[in-house]
């Protein structure tokens, strides 16, 4: 795998979510992160001819998983998400906890627990690409609302990302509310 060959597509889903696809043409691996709605993912997959192999879920909120069942059924992709939500997120094939590593094709991907927005929030880091997807933990000018955790927990998660992610990491997130 050559990181320079990897293509990342970010696109709108629902009213204010982002969908993300990461594609490695050398291995044919294509990874989706969260599935707010299956239709935009299926449209990009059809347009590009990519075959979806893996789906990574950041947390259990409906606007991150409501399209999961349809996308999994139509692509047969392997779904990995937070162990903490094994009973809540339908369709998980594998689960992770903080600091677990998984393989998706040639990509080694690290699960970083970043609770605060929700208790099950996982941020995904792909060191070989210098890319992270922080779900609803970290946005361009702030963070997601704190629903299940507390402010101290969210602050600790933000601090953890600042300590663990190199400064040249490109961040993708579940929403963006800036103009």
């Amino acid at each position: 795998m050559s990181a320079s060959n990897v293509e990342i597509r970010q696109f709108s889903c629902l009213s204010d979510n982002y969908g993300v696809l990461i594609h490695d043409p050398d291995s044919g691996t294509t990874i989706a992160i969260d599935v707010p709605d299956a239709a935009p993912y299926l449209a990009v997959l059809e347009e590009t001819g990519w075959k979806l192999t893996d789906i990574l879920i950041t947390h259990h909120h409906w606007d991150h998983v409501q399209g999961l069942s349809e996308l999994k059924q139509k692509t047969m992709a392997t779904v990995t998400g937070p162990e903490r939500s094994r009973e809540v997120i339908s369709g998980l094939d594998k689960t992770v906890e903080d600091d677990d590593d998984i393989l998706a094709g040639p990509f080694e991907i690290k699960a970083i627990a970043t609770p605060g927005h929700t208790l099950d929030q996982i941020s995904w880091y792909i060191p070989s690409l210098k890319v992270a997807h922080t779900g609803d933990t970290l946005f361009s000018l702030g963070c997601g609302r704190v629903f299940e955790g507390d402010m101290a927990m969210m602050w600790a998660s933000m601090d953890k990302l600042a300590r663990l992610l190199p400064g040249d990491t490109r961040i993708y997130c579940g929403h963006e509310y800036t103009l």
Side-chain angles (χ1 to χ4, degrees), residues 4 12 30 33 57 98 113-114 116 121-122 127 159 168 175 177-178:
S4 63
S12 295
T30 304
I33 303 179
I57 300 298
D98 186 38
T114 51
Q121 173 72 56
I122 295 286
D159 180 63
D168 59 351
H175 303 268
Y177 302 122
T178 62

Side-chain angles (χ1 to χ4, degrees), residues 123-146:
S123 292
W124 298 101
Y125 176 52
I126 308 173
S128 63
L129 299 179
K130 299 180 182 178
V131 165
H133 192 292
T134 59
D136 285 359
T137 299
L138 177 63
F139 298 152
S140 179
L141 291 175
C143 62
R145 289 182 16 198
V146 175

Side-chain angles (χ1 to χ4, degrees), residues 5-148:
N5 290 341
V6 173
E7 188 172 349
I8 300 175
R9 293 269 186 110
Q10 182 176 330
F11 44 91
S12 295
C13 291
L14 303 177
S15 63
D16 61 15
N17 285 71
Y18 282 136
V20 174
L21 287 169
I22 301 169
H23 177 71
D24 174 41
D26 296 337
S27 67
T29 301
T30 304
I31 302 166
I33 303 179
D34 286 343
V35 191
D37 181 10
Y41 285 85
L42 292 167
V44 173
L45 292 169
E46 183 168 330
E47 170 197 326
T48 60
W50 299 344
K51 180 185 181 319
L52 189 63
T53 56
D54 296 88
I55 302 169
L56 305 178
I57 300 298
T58 62
H59 65 291
H60 69 273
H61 279 169
W62 70 271
D63 62 330
H64 293 260
V65 299
Q66 78 173 358
L68 176 58
S69 178
E70 180 183 354
L71 190 61
K72 179 180 179 176
Q73 185 265 325
K74 289 185 175 175
T75 64
M76 302 309 291
T78 300
V79 181
T80 306
E83 169 61 33
R84 222 182 151 105
S85 289
R86 174 184 288 282
E87 303 299 320
V88 178
I89 301 172
S90 178
L92 293 178
D93 297 305
K94 300 187 283 188
T95 60
V96 294
E97 296 190 37
D98 186 38
D99 205 35
D100 283 348
D101 291 317
I102 64 165
L103 284 176
F107 300 109
E108 183 177 311
I109 304 170
K110 178 164 289 299
I112 303 170
T114 51
H117 175 69
T118 61
L119 297 178
D120 67 335
Q121 173 72 56
I122 295 286
S123 292
W124 298 101
Y125 176 52
I126 308 173
S128 63
L129 299 179
K130 299 180 182 178
V131 165
H133 192 292
T134 59
D136 285 359
T137 299
L138 177 63
F139 298 152
S140 179
L141 291 175
C143 62
R145 289 182 16 198
V146 175
F147 286 109
E148 297 173 10

